[in-house]
Amino acid sequence: VTGSPARMLGIDFSPPLRATDAQLMQRFPLGASVKLAAVYKQGPWWRDLGLQGDILAAAGTPSLPDGTPLFVQCVDHSPFSRRLGVLACFVEGKQNFHLTQLPLSEQRRLLLGFLRLSFNDSRAETYEPQVVSHNWADSPFTRGAYTGYLPPGVMSVPELWAAFKAQEKLPNVFFAGSDYHDGFGNGYIEGAIRSGQQAAALIHARLQGPRLQPA
Ligand SMILES: Cc1cc2nc3c(=O)[nH]c(=O)nc-3n(C[C@H](O)[C@H](O)[C@H](O)COP(=O)(O)OP(=O)(O)OC[C@H]3O[C@@H](n4cnc5c(N)ncnc54)[C@H](O)[C@@H]3O)c2cc1C
């Protein structure tokens, strides 16, 4: 079984998940990340300025009421053909919550203003890009991104940590996925693949041995 921890609690297991596993899943939130992209049909015009299109902002406008910059990181996500120019910005955590409460027209205005400021070029706005966004927390089968994380009070409790490390949650039911990988790559595609391979190996070994009989 794979899926984000938030989703595992929505699956009707029979028999139900053990108490410790259910408690672990309740202590395993996902981050809040939205990807906001400006798509320019004129192509990646910032290349004319000799700029690569990567932006890192530690301060500046627009910002939250406490001064935290709203936009922190953007990358050039244009197709290799450069037929379109795409700037993709990641907005995470409290900035995500702030941004996604705003009307789409306001999100667009803030993003394009930030791009104009970053490149010091009005084409960011006057080229009138299409702005598209995806908030993983909106997806019913995900409910957050980039990954699950364990807040304080989980790894320090031996029973919860043991539950995290056990892939077999119920007899013959194995959890697999990036979030559950115990080792290098947790939270990344590497961990997803390794976790899947490990679950497959455990299942393969089980199939070689005596089977559990259905109740
Ligand atoms: C914006 C973003 C950028 C990222 N960048 C990188 C990167 O640069 N490098 C990197 O290594 N990793 C990156 N990651 C992380 C990487 O994408 C994940 O770690 C990886 O995709 C997780 O794979 P998975 O198979 O564990 O889970 P998922 O890919 O989430 O697969 C789980 C699947 O289960 C489905 N599902 C859930 N519940 C149910 C249900 N009840 N019934 C049926 N289906 C269900 C979901 O729809 C989903 O398709 C990024 C993630 C995001 C969101």
Side-chain angles (χ1 to χ4, degrees):
V1 181
T2 191
S4 65
R7 292 307 312 146
M8 290 303 193
L9 288 169
I11 296 176
D12 188 9
F13 290 98
S14 179
L17 283 179
R18 291 184 312 130
T20 317
D21 288 318
Q23 288 279 312
L24 173 66
M25 294 301 132
Q26 292 173 61
R27 290 162 170 75
F28 207 157
L30 288 128
S33 175
V34 65
K35 204 189 226 181
L36 198 59
V39 183
Y40 293 91
K41 61 181 184 308
Q42 297 86 351
W45 50 267
W46 48 92
R47 301 270 170 174
D48 302 344
L49 306 170
L51 297 173
Q52 183 172 305
D54 291 348
I55 304 170
L56 277 178
T61 56
S63 60
L64 271 55
D66 68 1
T68 309
L70 180 58
F71 299 109
V72 175
Q73 185 191 13
C74 307
V75 294
D76 185 332
H77 205 271
S78 307
F80 187 69
S81 67
R82 297 195 182 176
R83 191 175 57 80
L84 295 168
V86 184
L87 289 166
C89 301
F90 301 93
V91 184
E92 297 148 352
K94 63 182 178 182
Q95 291 101 317
N96 174 310
F97 296 124
H98 180 84
L99 180 79
T100 54
Q101 302 306 312
L102 301 174
L104 290 176
S105 58
E106 180 65 359
Q107 294 183 28
R108 174 190 171 88
R109 189 187 70 77
L110 290 170
L111 174 69
L112 300 189
F114 174 73
L115 297 178
R116 176 181 46 74
L117 181 73
S118 300
F119 295 119
N120 193 26
D121 194 311
S122 60
R123 283 180 290 179
E125 293 170 322
T126 58
Y127 274 0
E128 298 196 341
Q130 185 183 359
V131 173
V132 289
S133 74
H134 186 80
N135 188 9
W136 275 265
D138 282 336
S139 304
F141 284 150
T142 311
R143 287 301 183 201
Y146 309 96
T147 186
Y149 62 94
L150 300 176
V154 179
M155 292 170 78
S156 55
V157 177
E159 292 77 11
L160 290 173
W161 186 232
F164 174 82
K165 290 169 86 77
Q167 273 197 290
E168 188 169 10
K169 298 299 186 193
L170 293 166
N172 292 338
V173 176
F174 298 82
F175 279 18
S178 179
D179 301 299
Y180 312 105
H181 183 58
D182 172 26
F184 178 75
N186 176 288
Y188 292 86
I189 195 71
E190 182 71 28
I193 293 167
R194 288 179 183 223
S195 173
Q197 288 174 333
Q198 195 172 308
L202 289 169
I203 292 165
H204 180 72
R206 177 65 50 80
L207 290 172
Q208 306 302 307
R211 308 262 177 100
L212 287 180
Q213 297 301 317

